[in-house]
Amino acid sequence: MTRDDLHLHVRGESSFIDDLPSPAGTLHAAVLGSPVARGAITRLDVAAALRCADVERVLTAADIPGENQIGAILPDEPLLAAGTVHHVGQPVAVVLARTAAAARRARREIGLEIAEARPVLDPREAAAKGQLLQPARTFAIGDVEAAWGQCAHVVTGRVDSGAQEHFYLETQGALAVPLENGTLRVHSATQSPTGVQKVVARVLGLPMHAIEVDVRRLGGAFGGKEDQATPWAVMCALGCVVTGRPVRLTLDRHDDLRMTGKRHPYSSDYRIGVDAEGRILAYEVTFYQNSGSAADLSTSILERSLFHATGSYAIANVRATGLACRTNLPPFTAFRGFGGPQAMFVLEAAIAAAARRLGVPAREVQRRNLLREGTVFPFGMVAEDCRAQRCWDEADRRYGFSALAAAAAAHNAAHAATKKGVAVMPVCFGISFTNTALNQARALVHVYQDGSVNVSTGAVEMGQGVNLKLRKIVAETLGIGLARVRVESTSTGRVANTSPTAASTGADMNGAAARMACLQILHRLRPLAAARLGSDTCAGASADVAWSQLVQAAYLARIDLSAHAHYATPDLAFDRAKEKGRPFAYHVYGAAVTEVTLDCLRGTATVDAVRVVHDLGRSLDLATDLGQVEGALAQGLGWMLLEEARYDDRGRLLHDTAGKYKVPDVRFAPATVDVAFLADADNARAVLGSKAVGEPPFMYGIGAYFALREAILAARPDLDPEVVAPLTPERTLMWLAAAPAPVVPA
Ligand code: LUZ
Ligand code: MOS
């Protein structure tokens, strides 16, 4: 009986990288990271470390046989620092020892001296100095300059959002094992097995066929292992070829927090213009993305910010500009939403400011400007099968926006020590990798002689339930019981050229490929089934016993019981020269209403309720999808209200232990989370009518920021608090205690 991951998890039976047994002779790695954010290495002496007990080797850039380069998009990131360092924690050397403790002890004996230079930490300063990863990109539609004159109100403002730690439970890690004939197997906790394979090949100077990357599952990833699982796997592989022995590395939490990138902080300027009825006539925004010290996926993430600059709204005149600013912080990276949340947060702040100027609730401005069927996005795509209004109206009908707002107002009139706020957050999120080439997937399906089925795809299970969805797709397509279907680990040897499991597309694309492979096998079985069973179908529960007989007969008749299939998401194109095209297969829609209670004395806030109507298409697995919505929401709430990742003025992370960094837990979660799924919502553009679910619900969390802001304004109507996230109790308290002099909006 094949069980799902969740059964194994609760029984403690699922294995992660650190659970894999060490082959004989395995060495353990510890990485020395730069203690300073910027400087030139003046001395690197490993002699004392080599003399430590149980130490076998210390690797530096000089040991790299191929290219010292791991950059996925731009070649700007060495595996090990050579000459200069650009962020605190940047890997400089790797100690290989017989135990992990010995490796960590010896790491302290490495003589590293650096001539320190003043780091650049602020993206606006980096932009002013011309420190950009690429020329500025601008998405535009209509004519903003002409539109300003027609606006009844034009409001400008600045919005800042902070870094967010992924806090996957399984930290970064890998185990590399040398095999015969110069080949390697790398077990890596990565969302991107092919990404690891490619970079190992590049750094070691080997052909990709010499390297197999295998991933059973991840203990969470959230984007943090889309690109940044790679260096650790490559270090292990390098250790393997240098010593001829297996090498393993698991970052401890402290190293993981300090050395790895997080969600990009953004600082943005907006200008929004509305007419007297609250129609948004023009919107202009500039995103200063804090990219960190190397490109990583930053340019791609900035691109998605531009795609989502207009959120869930139809705006005729738009100019959105994105600057990817190089700073001396660890390279920021993919995180659920991938630049979309940062962009939507700015627009919601602009709408809140415009509504305040108009003297109407923000939700009236939001409602008036919602996307409609046929709306043209600034990047040229037309909204088709647009469900923005449907989700909004359904949420309003179920939950009663005005009644919730009226209840909060009544509370506020009667209470001085606590204030309530309510906000609505509509979401529209594009599904597909913005890099069109990545929108492809493959599957390899084997049917064994007993009728059991083994499925391999490029999808990586990371707790999101993609393996269960794959099993259900295969079982439904073949017309057999779920228990017959098992999903293999994700291996570059079985399925090649995999795109990362990212962009919420894992089940969409790999599920489509798996279904196509099953259909091929069915096609071969059909004539046999017709002859044997007097039927041309093998679908249906009653066919389950017949399935075993059919498969056995097919084997004896020498019919191929395996199939490989390739799926490429259709109708995608994007022209970066024109910044126009159709980058997404479809959009996911939804609306959430959030109620918050503020304790005016303490500055603490409770998110009382988040009520959602979410568009899932036809769900592949309801429990899984509900879990995804709830998990994403919790993470979005954490980003907006709780999670603070601050760096000191020398670029050192202050929140560098699990004890210092707050993540949302079950007590932080709202007491009430209602999630209703849009009915009759089959999606023609993904497998079996489904829709992707991983990222879109993250952005419901943004509603909590503006609900809390409403509550603060109920306490202090004289204020115009700057929009900075996270809106922590400290920040809230500062506003509540601010001098009564009103801040005049610009
Ligand atoms: N990763 C990526 C992503 O490489 N491209 C994307 O467009 C994307 N979108 C969301 C999350 N990860
Ligand atoms: Mo991602 S943010 O790895 O889908």
Side-chain angles (χ1 to χ4, degrees), residues 166 191 221-227 263 297 301 304 333-339 429 433 462 500-505 694-695:
H166 302 86
Q191 291 171 251
F222 311 113
K225 296 168 183 171
E226 182 173 340
D227 202 39
R263 180 186 299 284
L297 301 171
I301 289 161
R304 190 174 275 278
T333 194
F335 195 142
R336 211 169 191 169
F338 206 73
F429 195 82
F433 287 92
M462 57 188 105
T501 301
S504 305
T505 61
E695 291 168 287

Side-chain angles (χ1 to χ4, degrees), residues 490-521:
T490 312
S491 159
T492 56
R494 278 186 302 273
V495 175
N497 306 319
T498 60
S499 292
T501 301
S504 305
T505 61
D508 272 27
M509 296 203 307
N510 294 283
R515 182 167 161 82
M516 288 165 73
C518 292
L519 290 173
Q520 286 178 40
I521 294 170

